[in-house]
Amino acid sequence: MPRVLILCTHNSARSQMAEALTRAAAQRLGAELDVHSAGTEATRVKEDARTVMAELGLDLSGHTSKTLWDVPDAQNFDYVVTVCDSAAEACPVYPGRTVRRHYPFVDPSGGSLDRWRAVRDQISTQFDAFVLALHEGREAPPTYEQSPAVRLA
């Protein structure tokens, strides 16, 4: 089963939403993925992230902010996806077999719920394309800009 790590700075918003959305996309397709998220620092999962994900029926109440070293087998991932520039810069080196992707999203922190929803929806579209590519045996989109606009029902 392919292992996916989604990495951000605080593991409090974007990476948490991406983790839940990636799991949901994989479930809808019947794709088996072992999905984790982490941050370069741990803080807390933001309430606005919980709110906008609940609107989609995805519950983040059991999610906690964690660092890479809190993730099981932290150096053994097939895919490492960074969702913010600072995490991309701080991301540790992975073995040659690990595929790295960088899909940066605006930090919705401090913004309105509409801003949170917009970022959530961008993340959803991106990770739908990511999961679909893996499920079909294609290369994961190399960048956010090169990803097709895919929405899995």
Side-chain angles (χ1 to χ4, degrees), residues 93-126:
V93 174
Y94 277 85
R97 71 168 189 80
T98 300
V99 175
R100 293 226 3 222
R101 292 292 184 255
H102 180 54
Y103 303 144
F105 298 97
V106 171
D107 186 355
S109 300
S112 68
L113 281 180
D114 284 339
R115 179 174 169 173
W116 279 86
R117 289 179 187 109
V119 172
R120 174 204 62 199
D121 293 348
Q122 290 171 347
I123 292 169
S124 180
T125 298
Q126 178 62 49

Side-chain angles (χ1 to χ4, degrees), residues 8 27 63 94 97 118 132 137:
C8 199
Q27 184 177 21
H63 286 223
Y94 277 85
R97 71 168 189 80
L132 182 61

